[in-house]
Amino acid sequence: MNFKLRVWRQKTGAAKGKLADYPANDVSPDTSFLEMLDLVNDRLIEGGEEPIAFESDCREGICGTCCLTINGEAHGPDHPGAACQLYMRRFKEGETITVEPFRAKPFRFVKDLVVNRSALDRIVQAGGFVSARSGSAPEANSIPVPKQNADRAMEAAACIGCGACAAACPNASAMLFTSAKVSHLALLPQGDPERTNRVLNMVSVMDEEGFGNCTNTYECEAVCPAEISASFIAKLNREYAVATLRKKLGG
Amino acid sequence: MIGTLESRIPSGPLDKKWSSYKDHARLVSPANRRKLDVIVVGSGLAGGSAAATLGEQGYNVKCFCFQDSPRRAHSIAAQGGINAAKNYQNDGDSVFRLFYDTIKGGDFRSREANVYRLAEVSNSIIDQCVEQGVPFAREYGGLLANRSFGGAQVSRTFYARGQTGQQLLLGCYQALCRQIAAGTVKMFPHTEMLDVVLVDGHAKGIITRNLETGDIHAHASDAVVLATGGYGNVFYLSTNARGSNVTATYRAYRKGALFANPCYTQIHPTCIPVSGQHQSKLTLMSESLRNDGRVWVPNKQGDTRSPEQIPEEERDYYLERKYPSFGNLAPRDISSRSAKEACDDGRGVGPGGRGVFLDFADAINRLGETTIRERYGNLFDIYEKITGEDAYNRPMRIYPAVHYTMGGLWVDYNLMSNVPGLHVIGEANFSDHGANRLGASALMQGLADGYFVLPYTLPTYLAGQIGKRPTVDHPEFHKAETGVRERISKMIGVNGTRSVDSFHRELGLLLWDKCGMARNAAGLREALRKIPEIRGRFWREVRVPGSGEEFNQSLERAGRVADYLEFAELMCTDALERDESCGGHFREEHQTPDGEALRDDVNFASAFAWEFQGNGTIAPPKLHREPLEFETLELAQRSYK
Ligand SMILES: Cc1cc2nc3c(=O)[nH]c(=O)nc-3n(C[C@H](O)[C@H](O)[C@H](O)COP(=O)(O)OP(=O)(O)OC[C@H]3O[C@@H](n4cnc5c(N)ncnc54)[C@H](O)[C@@H]3O)c2cc1C
């Protein structure tokens, strides 16, 4: 198959960027989107040009490294799935495909299609954990957890931390990301003791990092490769309200 | 050789070694821990758990990874599960049985004492992870669920859907985040270690490159821990993440650390077959599928009928036929080789005849599609995305692919290499899996090393090191840093015409052919002739655009591929020297009459630890042998019939 690529090229955060055109010809429909970019890059290198910078690692949709906006959609048209799970058979012969990085103010620009998403790490550092010292844990089966709670916790925990939610949101909100972690831990008895501070601190860092508010556009849920449900955002709001109240009452 | 090749296995009965070690090990007082800096390279299950735990204990930890976040380490991709000897299913499991299975699964090529310790701490891992909030699968009564996994007759595998590695790594990442917030761990993402620095024969620091800016930086410490994963990508195509590489361990090898058993690589039986030249990686279909899927090929050679048209009596369920007691759950090396045999025999299916069927029709009839969907839904989805085929209605096609590397830097019982201060954990070391790893045991080992072993063994080294940390002004740091800079300039300076990947692909094909699922002396000698040729061409023809002072992925890859081009030679040398078959190392010259691996315990019941020779150039490495003593188990012919 043959395609026309329009790719965002920008050397550094300070430099000016622009869309540049590249042909992607003789691509087998079984090629993944990233393999297609590999091919284009190989040809660029052999032709003496600079390859397009883009990151990926597992290439099976779980590490959350790839962060491409394809034809205006975070991770491209094949939802649910990360860009690395997108195959060229999804596109039409001769199609023009626009590729840009995930854009959200808190994601620092690095190069071409690469951004730095450490803002998401800092939200987790604010409290997205259970303080369980190595070696201090009780016997694993001593606290039974109802299967439906464990399953629901798993649904939230499945977040791959790619940041597509923030990139797709008109407000660059990271509510889906944050709500997934808050909900995962709030649904389990082990997460309960730190529940109040966790949600307050994570939300406050989320704001400090410059992520915007949720205005219920649900773009986040639509592009999420891990199918995290927006109902977790409602849960986050509840957790936050209860925590605020508790803080007020308990000091 | 630097240091010694002493295993430092504690004396006493096998089941008391670890507890008596812990009772008598040296400790570092809390006040002194604050004065000690530890570098941990890697943030996967091994590195992440070690960094978090050491930080918690009060050491100053610096942790490095090349991804943009520690949460993205390759461990994230593990699907199937993690073993532990909890015996929750009341099916006869025990610490001893897990130990025995691991030694036998490794074809009697690992150390009893290390493996016993691994089995012993396995239960604490599950406790720890549950406490962190890892959402393991549960039964309706609220207790933890288990499944059986390749090569085991008991159900001892804990899992979180098909995303066990993700959930374990996130548990570990969150523990790490807690320490980062507490200030005990300083995290350096997007930073690659390019050399280790030795001062007076001790590992006292590393040289790194910031991948975003290209800055080269020296870091001094009191000890260095490598948790940098495996080298499966030397084959170019593998199930590993694209970035996984051998650079950290290979650079340490060049500095004097011994590399053990590099030829022990694991080829996983259930992966999606190669479909074309464009392919950048192979995708694993979790082995848990073999619990319900049946593996078969047509009886007839060159049978191109579609699977539903092949009647039952014309199918060869070869694993069930050859290994009646383990059937489709036969260990990985055996299942992989059987698939290769069937395809070599002209009975393979799919494009190029390099595939076998994994059929769920019986399981769907027995349990219903809903149950199968619940168990494996995400795997079936992945399969459909990649191949465009629906495995609920037609059997999957699978073929073996490179998956895991049992070889790694040699370590003693303390998980310290022969270089004092240089510790190696997780897939990067050689310690626990012998010549073949059992399913769901890598996650167990990574977390055992990081949460429960290294935090006890590292102090035995550190206790003697207080106040001995050099500064980065030491000439050894300057020397190493200069070396790194020169190598970068040299790679960019070649300015040839071929991409780095094209050399990597060329090397991979050669290794898969000559040092893959089956090996023989003539093939290995041929590979040993060709690798230096490819390497020579690499240094004349490679093209690395851009500069070293910017985000430059061609440069990152060039460094890794240059190391693979040297490492591959070591791997083939080891495979040639090990003139026996064992586990994943199948030398065609050594097989039983029915085609099983034939060990030679008289000459090869030892670990091969290789020492780098030569001064900048590459001379044949020097072999050191560590004899493996079996005091508890009897060396037996492995049988899964
Ligand atoms: C698809 C797949 C499925 C698997 N499923 C299972 C399973 O179900 N059960 C099981 O037990 N095992 C499984 N395994 C094996 C298991 O996942 C790995 O062996 C294990 O996760 C390795 O962990 P690690 O911490 O040693 O290394 P890794 O997770 O590979 O981490 C390596 C770390 O080192 C860093 N690093 C490497 N080099 C450098 C450098 N030069 N500078 C800086 N940082 C560096 C990386 O950034 C990364 O953080 C699977 C493997 C694959 C490929």
Side-chain angles (χ1 to χ4, degrees), chain A residues 11-12 28 30-32 34-36 38-39 41-42 44-60 62-67 78-82 85-87 89 108-111 114-118 120-122 124-148 150-163 177 181 184-185 188 190-191 194 226-227, chain B residues 49 52-53 56 66-74 76-79 86 88 123-124 126-144 160-163 166-167 170 173-178 180-181 187 189-190 211-212 236 239-244 275 278-284 374 381-382 384-388 450-452 496-502 505 543-547 550-554 556-557:
Chain A
K11 259 190 132 21
T12 62
S28 137
D30 288 334
T31 308
S32 75
L34 301 189
E35 286 165 353
M36 180 276 295
D38 290 342
L39 201 81
N41 272 346
D42 251 14
L44 285 176
I45 294 171
E46 274 153 27
E49 283 181 73
E50 275 235 17
I52 303 156
F54 71 95
E55 283 198 296
S56 71
D57 205 21
C58 78
R59 295 205 170 188
E60 45 193 61
I62 192 79
C63 73
T65 304
C66 55
C67 50
D78 199 8
H79 305 297
Q85 295 172 293
L86 173 63
Y87 282 77
R89 65 175 93 88
R108 185 160 46 76
F109 183 86
V110 178
K111 185 177 182 178
V114 180
V115 294
N116 179 312
R117 288 158 290 177
S118 52
L120 298 177
D121 290 324
R122 288 189 291 274
V124 179
Q125 287 158 20
F129 47 74
V130 174
S131 300
R133 200 172 46 250
S134 301
S136 64
E139 155 49 50
N141 257 348
S142 58
I143 312 172
V145 179
K147 183 171 175 352
Q148 67 271 21
D151 286 351
R152 185 90 177 123
M154 178 65 211
E155 278 163 26
C159 167
I160 63 170
C162 62
F177 171 83
K181 191 46 51 196
H184 158 212
L185 295 175
L188 295 170
Q190 290 81 7
E194 294 168 289
E227 297 182 88
Chain B
S49 58
T53 307
E56 211 167 67
F66 61 73
Q67 291 89 350
D68 76 332
S69 162
R71 69 179 289 151
R72 308 200 199 287
H74 161 62
I76 201 96
Q79 302 170 350
K86 287 280 194 187
Y88 283 161
N123 292 339
S124 312
I126 303 304
D127 299 343
Q128 182 65 31
C129 295
V130 166
E131 189 57 21
Q132 291 171 341
V134 170
F136 282 123
R138 289 183 182 261
E139 296 164 353
Y140 283 100
L143 301 179
L144 292 159
R161 302 231 168 118
Q163 291 125 276
Q166 180 200 27
Q167 293 310 315
L170 291 182
Y173 158 78
Q174 288 164 204
L176 187 64
C177 283
R178 178 171 155 248
I180 294 170
M187 187 70 218
H190 258 167
L211 300 182
E212 290 181 19
Y236 186 69
T239 63
N240 289 11
R242 287 274 285 175
S244 300
S275 69
H278 56 267
Q279 218 153 352
S280 60
K281 76 157 287 174
L282 296 173
T283 302
L284 175 75
E374 207 170 81
D381 291 347
I382 293 177
E384 180 161 14
K385 274 208 164 161
I386 296 177
T387 62
Y451 286 134
F452 298 111
T497 52
R498 276 180 64 181
S499 71
V500 174
D501 278 6
S502 71
R505 229 174 277 135
R543 183 177 163 81
V544 180
S547 77
E550 59 178 332
F551 186 82
N552 187 340
Q553 293 170 307
S554 298
E556 290 167 31
R557 279 189 213 129

Side-chain angles (χ1 to χ4, degrees), chain A residues 60, chain B residues 41-47 64-67 73-75 77-82 149 191-193 227-230 239-240 244-245 247-248 284 403-404 425-428 437 439-444:
Chain A
E60 45 193 61
Chain B
V41 189
S43 65
L45 287 177
F64 299 81
C65 72
F66 61 73
Q67 291 89 350
H74 161 62
S75 294
Q79 302 170 350
I82 176 165
F149 219 66
T191 305
E192 184 165 29
M193 166 198 150
T228 49
T239 63
N240 289 11
S244 300
N245 68 88
T247 289
L284 175 75
H403 178 59
Y404 180 86
I425 58 177
E427 191 173 339
R437 175 175 69 77
S441 285
L443 303 183
M444 170 172 73

Side-chain angles (χ1 to χ4, degrees), chain B residues 229-444:
Chain B
Y231 50 84
N233 277 349
V234 67
F235 289 92
Y236 186 69
L237 284 182
S238 87
T239 63
N240 289 11
R242 287 274 285 175
S244 300
N245 68 88
V246 78
T247 289
T249 48
Y250 189 75
R251 290 285 125 193
Y253 163 76
R254 288 191 58 128
K255 283 284 172 86
L258 302 181
F259 212 110
N261 304 331
C263 80
Y264 289 167
T265 49
Q266 177 164 82
I267 317 282
H268 196 291
T270 55
C271 304
I272 300 179
V274 177
S275 69
Q277 242 254 309
H278 56 267
Q279 218 153 352
S280 60
K281 76 157 287 174
L282 296 173
T283 302
L284 175 75
M285 289 283 98
S286 167
E287 177 161 49
S288 58
L289 290 170
R290 289 201 278 146
N291 285 324
D292 287 306
R294 299 178 68 196
V295 177
W296 64 276
V297 290
N299 279 338
K300 237 183 25 215
Q301 293 175 333
D303 192 337
T304 52
R305 284 177 293 175
S306 96
E308 69 282 357
Q309 286 169 349
I310 303 179
E312 205 51 37
E313 61 282 5
E314 291 179 38
R315 299 176 175 191
D316 180 12
Y317 294 91
Y318 58 83
L319 287 176
E320 297 171 21
R321 171 173 60 78
K322 295 201 303 198
Y323 308 100
S325 68
F326 279 71
N328 293 298
L329 293 176
R332 292 178 175 174
D333 51 343
I334 289 177
S335 308
S336 291
R337 260 192 317 272
S338 299
K340 178 177 189 292
E341 258 170 47
C343 296
D344 287 349
D345 189 31
R347 298 188 294 143
V349 299
R354 289 276 137 195
V356 301
F357 290 125
L358 180 63
D359 197 334
F360 293 88
D362 282 357
I364 290 174
N365 281 339
R366 195 173 67 243
L367 305 163
E369 191 176 311
T370 321
T371 307
I372 295 299
R373 201 175 282 278
E374 207 170 81
R375 283 188 192 163
Y376 311 112
N378 68 323
L379 296 170
F380 279 55
D381 291 347
I382 293 177
Y383 184 79
E384 180 161 14
K385 274 208 164 161
I386 296 177
T387 62
E389 289 174 19
D390 171 12
Y392 294 103
N393 290 314
R394 58 176 301 159
M396 282 184 182
R397 285 175 298 108
I398 54 165
Y399 197 66
V402 174
H403 178 59
Y404 180 86
T405 53
M406 284 75 69
L409 290 183
W410 182 90
V411 288
D412 64 14
Y413 191 74
N414 296 314
L415 303 181
M416 187 166 88
S417 71
N418 57 303
V419 175
L422 184 69
H423 294 70
V424 194
I425 58 177
E427 191 173 339
N429 74 23
F430 90 117
S431 78
D432 294 343
H433 306 293
N436 173 56
R437 175 175 69 77
L438 289 183
S441 285
L443 303 183
M444 170 172 73

